[in-house]
Amino acid sequence: SSIYGETRFGLKNEELSIEDFGAVAGDDEKWRENINALLQGMQKASEQKRVLVVPAGKSYSMMGMRLDGIEDVVFRIDGTLKGVPDFDNWPMQAGSNRSYLAMIEIHNSRNVTFTSSSRGMGLLNGQGYTWWWSNILQVSLKLRPELLHWQNCSQLLIENIKLKDSPRFNLNLHDVSDVIVRYVDIETDLDAQRKLHKMVNGRTQSLKDLLALEGSLPELAEIESTIDWRKWVEKALVDLNIPTFPLNTDGIDLKGRNIHIHDCSIVNYDDIIVPKPCDNKCMQTDCTENILIENIEARGVGMSIGSVPPSVHHYCVNNVTFRNVSLESPLKGIYIKTDPGDEGSATISNITFENFRINRPLWWAIWIGPQQQHQPGWNWTEHQECALDWPLGKKSKSHCMTNKNVAIEDIVLKDVVIDSPLLSPGVILCNQTRFDNATAPSCSRLTFQNVTVTGLSTNLPFGRQYFCQNVEHSHSTKSDPSPSCFN
């Protein structure tokens, strides 16, 4: 059972099909008809409290669409909704010439269910390959479409559907409350992403050995201090662009309160599930809080918080629990990240990571500190962000700025196993002072309980220990290794 109430209302027995409103399956040229059918069908289902169905065994092409003010409706996707990658015809956000509409975008709505008759039967396919090309080659500076976007919505149930190859974010819960997401599968074609990067960089190396590390760790452990290994890591993670930040295919982004996400599978190589702060435009809450995320299997950048910048409105992320999580070859495992900014303040507080298995992390298993970022076309000297290759890259060796204006406090890691990490187990990098206390560091009351590292590792670059700086009132029990800057 969920910790939050599910969407409930009286439905009439008769179901509506999108074909009742003119939808045509199997023809990319019919995307306009299919968008109109979806818009009309959802409005009618909302008015009459009925179920709208995408029929099983059929595929319907579409582009971006937006719905406003629907309520008391169930949308059952038993077939496929497929995005047509057409830069010229895909609708833009209202009043914008830079941002595309999400494939399905819903605003100002309540009591809505997105479901399928069985897990994975209903598919939203964003066909992101062409969009990724445009990003890597910087053909278009427009913001690629998301797959499923909710804004200023409440009492939502999203279940049993599969989201595949989103051009950008997969599921964006932006300013929401009282939400359940369960039995959702998110998949990004990593092979296609890797081929794009490899083709663009003119390289022929296979990344399979890096992503499956069988047989390589013993050899790497023997040469842990060699300069050749350092160069190889830098090339693999920066020059080769292992699929990560540049494509921004986040799994589930969320801003809001009272959200339960459980029993989901995510493969995306960007942020897996990431609570972010709500800004002053949010209607449902002024702080992202009361979040439970559990029973997750994933392969991506990490179970993340943020990034969180300071704000004159004081941004906050509070009371978030991640538990029962299995991560296979993630780029990061547990990831709390701040963002640059000189004005205002922010707080990340009461965050728990419990019962984690982080298997063969490819970069940092644990990172608490400034966001590491590397976007196509960036010159790192022009940005305050912490370089993605820090501290291995020569140019960015000392370029990882902390921020006094974002406080991180009351963080608990409990029963975490890090197996065969590629590098040292993690980084805890905080500022010497904080916005409300010039004599205290920006991180306080961090607890590691039974956090252990097992298996072989290169132990680069800090040995088999954490890089730990500017933390107070923190402690570690039954953990191996223990952060050196804890009490």
Side-chain angles (χ1 to χ4, degrees):
S1 63
S2 172
I3 61 170
Y4 302 116
E6 297 188 11
T7 306
R8 296 183 184 277
F9 48 86
L11 285 174
K12 296 182 180 179
N13 292 329
E14 183 181 351
E15 295 179 348
L16 301 171
S17 167
I18 61 171
E19 293 190 348
D20 297 336
F21 302 91
V24 180
D27 187 345
D28 283 355
E29 298 298 323
K30 298 296 183 180
W31 62 268
R32 289 185 179 86
E33 288 84 346
N34 294 337
I35 289 175
N36 288 333
L38 286 163
L39 291 170
Q40 293 174 29
M42 289 287 274
Q43 291 291 354
K44 183 64 69 174
S46 177
E47 292 168 7
Q48 299 182 355
K49 291 183 168 55
R50 291 184 176 179
V51 178
L52 179 67
V53 178
V54 176
K58 295 184 179 182
S59 178
Y60 301 85
S61 297
M62 62 178 296
M63 296 192 199
M65 56 168 276
R66 172 172 168 166
L67 279 158
D68 276 86
I70 61 171
E71 60 181 35
D72 301 342
V73 62
V74 172
F75 185 38
R76 195 176 78 227
I77 306 169
D78 287 341
T80 296
L81 296 175
K82 182 179 68 173
V84 178
D86 185 332
F87 301 160
D88 295 328
N89 288 308
W90 194 286
M92 306 297 293
Q93 295 280 355
S96 172
N97 59 3
R98 183 177 180 270
S99 300
Y100 289 106
L101 270 179
M103 189 165 130
I104 298 178
E105 191 157 320
I106 298 177
H107 291 237
N108 311 314
S109 299
R110 58 176 294 276
N111 243 13
V112 181
T113 294
F114 267 44
T115 189
S116 184
S117 293
S118 61
R119 181 167 181 169
M121 184 177 180
L123 173 64
L124 270 64
N125 187 346
Q127 297 200 111
Y129 189 91
T130 303
W131 296 98
W132 303 335
W133 255 119
S134 73
N135 185 71
I136 292 170
L137 297 180
Q138 300 184 61
V139 171
S140 171
L141 298 179
K142 295 177 181 177
L143 205 58
R144 288 163 288 137
E146 300 169 356
L147 206 52
L148 183 54
H149 180 105
W150 303 81
Q151 188 161 334
N152 189 25
C153 296
S154 63
Q155 295 175 270
L156 308 177
L157 174 61
I158 303 165
E159 63 176 4
N160 288 338
I161 60 175
K162 181 175 183 178
L163 308 179
K164 179 177 173 62
D165 291 341
S166 177
R168 199 163 60 98
F169 299 164
N170 283 272
L171 173 56
N172 193 352
L173 302 169
H174 184 100
D175 186 16
V176 299
S177 64
D178 302 309
V179 177
I180 299 169
V181 179
R182 64 188 182 191
Y183 318 126
V184 169
D185 300 313
I186 295 175
E187 177 184 308
T188 300
D189 189 341
L190 300 183
D191 287 336
Q193 287 196 13
R194 286 194 291 270
K195 287 175 183 177
L196 288 176
H197 289 306
K198 188 164 62 176
M199 290 165 65
V200 170
N201 286 282
R203 301 182 184 275
T204 58
Q205 296 99 318
S206 169
L207 299 183
K208 289 184 178 179
D209 289 342
L210 182 61
L211 295 174
L213 295 174
E214 286 90 333
S216 61
L217 280 176
E219 178 185 356
L220 296 177
E222 293 173 6
I223 61 169
E224 66 180 55
S225 62
T226 67
I227 191 66
D228 289 343
W229 166 243
R230 290 175 181 269
K231 288 182 178 179
W232 183 87
V233 169
E234 183 179 357
K235 284 186 177 181
L237 291 172
V238 180
D239 294 343
L240 285 176
N241 281 314
I242 287 174
T244 173
F245 305 100
L247 299 184
N248 284 327
T249 47
D250 289 10
I252 303 175
D253 279 28
L254 54 111
K255 300 179 179 181
R257 62 180 176 86
N258 301 343
I259 300 169
H260 188 193
I261 300 172
H262 66 93
D263 296 283
C264 296
S265 173
I266 300 173
V267 178
N268 68 327
Y269 267 98
D270 211 301
D271 288 324
I272 298 167
I273 300 176
V274 51
K276 297 180 177 180
C278 245
D279 59 27
N280 63 311
K281 296 179 181 179
C282 283
M283 305 293 291
Q284 299 293 324
T285 183
D286 58 1
C287 179
T288 292
E289 61 184 348
N290 305 335
I291 315 293
L292 174 59
I293 298 160
E294 60 183 341
N295 307 330
I296 306 295
E297 295 184 355
R299 186 169 174 172
V301 169
M303 303 298 275
S304 308
I305 298 290
S307 58
V308 180
S311 168
V312 294
H313 302 285
H314 188 78
Y315 286 163
C316 68
V317 178
N318 177 59
N319 191 26
V320 179
T321 296
F322 299 85
R323 70 185 181 201
N324 305 333
V325 174
S326 177
L327 302 177
E328 182 65 34
S329 300
L331 221 62
K332 285 188 175 74
I334 292 169
Y335 190 15
I336 297 178
K337 46 184 172 171
T338 65
D339 231 12
D342 298 324
E343 296 185 359
S345 59
T347 304
I348 300 169
S349 57
N350 299 301
I351 313 296
T352 298
F353 300 87
E354 181 177 1
N355 194 22
F356 268 62
R357 174 81 180 187
I358 305 173
N359 190 40
R360 294 190 178 122
L362 298 177
W363 204 229
W364 303 108
I366 296 171
W367 179 282
I368 300 173
Q371 176 178 209
Q372 286 191 294
Q373 194 167 11
H374 183 91
Q375 295 282 5
W378 270 19
N379 178 340
W380 70 269
T381 59
E382 298 174 358
H383 294 268
Q384 296 183 52
E385 283 81 0
C386 179
L388 180 62
D389 59 355
W390 182 90
L392 294 172
K394 290 182 179 179
K395 291 183 178 179
S396 57
K397 192 171 183 179
S398 61
H399 186 76
C400 193
M401 300 182 190
T402 56
N403 193 334
K404 69 176 183 179
N405 294 321
V406 183
I408 300 173
E409 56 193 26
D410 298 304
I411 311 298
V412 176
L413 276 65
K414 180 180 179 182
D415 297 331
V416 176
V417 176
I418 302 166
D419 185 55
S420 302
L422 194 64
L423 304 177
S424 303
V427 170
I428 304 167
L429 181 57
C430 307
N431 201 70
Q432 285 185 316
T433 61
R434 56 180 280 163
F435 63 88
D436 55 356
N437 190 339
T439 64
S442 62
C443 292
S444 62
R445 299 187 298 278
L446 276 58
T447 300
F448 279 31
Q449 182 177 342
N450 194 28
V451 179
T452 58
V453 180
T454 62
L456 296 167
S457 172
T458 67
N459 294 324
L460 283 170
F462 307 119
R464 203 174 182 86
Q465 59 185 347
Y466 298 93
F467 180 86
C468 190
Q469 196 171 81
N470 298 322
V471 175
E472 72 172 2
H473 306 312
S474 299
H475 67 276
S476 172
T477 58
K478 297 181 180 179
S479 296
D480 184 21
S482 292
S484 59
C485 64
F486 284 16
N487 297 342

